[in-house]
Amino acid sequence: MNRALGEAFHRLGQEARDYADADRALAALRTRRTRRTRRALVAGSAALVVIAGGLAAFQARSPAAPDATVTVVSPAHAVEPPAQAPTLPATGPVGRGALVYTACQSQCPTFLLLADGRQYLLGERTVSPPGNITLSPDGRWLGQPVKGGYEVRDLLGDAVHRLEPPAAPDADSAYSPWAWSADSRRLIVGYHASGDVRTYRTLELPSGRTGELDPPPGQEPVGLLPSGEPLLLDHGQDAEPPLERVTLKHADTGRAVTLASGTGVLADADHGLSVQTNGERVFVLEYAGDRITVLEFDVTGRQVARLPLPPGQYPVGPVDGGYAVIQVPQDQARGRQKLEVVSLAGRRPLFDVPGPAAVVLPGGARH
């Protein structure tokens, strides 16, 4: 795949989730192709992380973390859109979700693939799944926009929880899934109009209890700690690229940690900052020319792994056992995308999907 197409693919994953309509997302991608994406957006799992007492300025360059080895142990599960599939029932148990996907970026149906291989139709032409539709990390809960609000339903039971829009909603506004807790018991959603986020809300599961999250101006919730405490990112840090380190703060205590790049930058004129967490692991992306490296930190801010991605492979997000990446074919119209998990233990295949597909893995949200 050529460099321009690769950059377009990655930026689509970054920018599309600011829009409730897939066509508007594609239009925005065309107009912003040369503009820096300032928010941290990746189609993957939960959010960021971590702390020590007070402001911990961690120097990631010393010692250097090890690179991942490459070991493929089993074939990926090939996914094809069915000629016919039953519509997902409005309520009731169906099975644990493994993947949400549409076979092309627009005009294609969206399907839910269950862990047992069965598929259900979510809609003939839904919003773009990445950044709009979500699966909890354990595959139990499915969230999707519904008539201006947001609905989260139990795929293993009968519960359906709905977040209603504000009393006087803005035109062209929608909820988007922001971050999951690693235990799938809490979800943060953002209510926005064309990317201008006005409100964050929390949903606790399975109770359905909701709450408001009101971070200071200029700060965004980018993850949930195992304790349930949100982590905040102050976007003032990436106002002047290039960015070589980023500081995150606990929403409740103000405790902070600084994560630093190694040999590249965390953001520049061509790449937006990306920070995600999964349990007690924090993941950020490092850029050095055309090379993308996934940096993995523990909750103390210590860098524990560097996972360089080969050409043609792009980041998706944290999943159980590592970090999901996608290999995009040279010929997207005829080829296949390959999803796999990378970690220090090697590489593990996940799914093989149509070349133009847009996908959401369990835990996939804005962060």
Side-chain angles (χ1 to χ4, degrees):
M1 186 178 68
N2 60 54
R3 178 182 175 185
L5 183 58
E7 290 177 349
F9 177 88
H10 184 48
R11 285 194 180 122
L12 178 61
Q14 290 184 309
E15 297 188 11
R17 64 207 67 198
D18 274 344
Y19 296 87
D21 183 275
D23 292 334
R24 294 189 62 251
L26 290 167
L29 174 63
R30 298 186 192 102
T31 59
R32 296 186 185 183
R33 199 175 292 259
T34 60
R35 189 194 307 172
R36 175 169 171 257
T37 303
R38 292 187 55 188
R39 283 181 296 272
L41 310 175
V42 180
S45 174
L48 343 150
V49 78
V50 137
I51 351 310
L55 178 63
F58 173 67
Q59 301 295 331
R61 289 187 174 85
S62 178
D67 287 352
T69 57
V70 179
T71 306
V72 176
V73 295
S74 61
H77 175 71
V79 178
E80 294 288 354
Q84 292 185 329
T87 299
L88 182 70
T91 60
V94 294
R96 200 175 295 275
L99 181 74
V100 172
Y101 78 99
T102 180
C104 64
Q105 296 291 341
S106 62
Q107 306 294 336
C108 287
T110 298
F111 296 99
L112 168 67
L113 173 70
L114 299 183
D116 62 10
R118 290 177 295 137
Q119 297 194 45
Y120 282 96
L121 176 69
L122 295 183
E124 290 293 342
R125 187 174 185 271
T126 68
V127 293
S128 178
N132 293 300
I133 300 175
T134 189
L135 281 170
S136 60
D138 63 4
R140 175 179 173 178
W141 300 94
L142 171 71
Q144 53 188 333
V146 179
K147 296 179 181 179
Y150 203 78
E151 186 175 277
V152 179
R153 57 147 315 160
D154 188 353
L155 295 174
L156 302 181
D158 296 317
V160 179
H161 304 299
R162 182 181 171 90
L163 297 170
E164 299 293 343
D170 295 328
D172 193 30
S173 58
Y175 281 111
S176 287
W178 230 253
W180 280 100
S181 63
D183 63 5
S184 301
R185 297 181 64 86
R186 198 177 192 199
L187 171 66
I188 297 176
V189 298
Y191 186 77
H192 60 95
S194 299
D196 184 13
V197 182
R198 305 290 177 84
T199 303
Y200 296 102
R201 298 185 66 185
T202 60
L203 175 65
E204 296 184 15
L205 299 166
S207 69
R209 184 169 58 186
T210 61
E212 298 290 333
L213 183 61
D214 188 21
Q219 297 190 26
E220 174 188 8
V222 290
L224 287 163
L225 292 170
S227 65
E229 184 179 8
L231 286 163
L232 301 179
L233 169 67
D234 186 341
H235 281 291
Q237 296 176 89
D238 57 346
E240 297 183 4
L243 183 69
E244 295 183 349
R245 62 186 61 215
V246 62
T247 299
L248 310 173
K249 289 187 177 181
H250 284 239
D252 297 339
T253 65
R255 289 189 297 169
V257 64
T258 296
L259 308 177
S261 63
T263 60
V265 298
L266 305 181
D268 59 19
D270 297 317
H271 305 96
L273 174 66
S274 171
V275 193
Q276 301 165 286
T277 60
N278 186 18
E280 297 187 348
R281 285 290 186 262
V282 193
F283 298 85
V284 299
L285 300 182
E286 177 188 84
Y287 306 97
D290 295 336
R291 190 177 182 88
I292 302 174
T293 298
V294 178
L295 304 181
E296 180 179 350
F297 297 84
D298 66 16
V299 294
T300 70
R302 181 177 64 92
Q303 188 181 125
V304 297
R306 292 176 53 84
L307 308 170
L309 305 186
Q313 199 166 72
Y314 296 91
V316 177
V319 293
D320 186 31
Y323 193 95
V325 297
I326 192 165
Q327 183 79 33
V328 181
Q330 291 280 348
D331 184 351
Q332 281 191 277
R334 297 181 179 85
R336 306 280 295 177
Q337 296 183 72
K338 299 184 184 301
L339 283 153
E340 62 183 17
V341 179
V342 296
S343 68
L344 284 177
R347 295 177 176 267
R348 173 170 55 89
L350 286 176
F351 298 104
D352 179 299
V353 299
V359 302
V360 175
L361 291 169
R366 181 174 178 130
H367 291 286

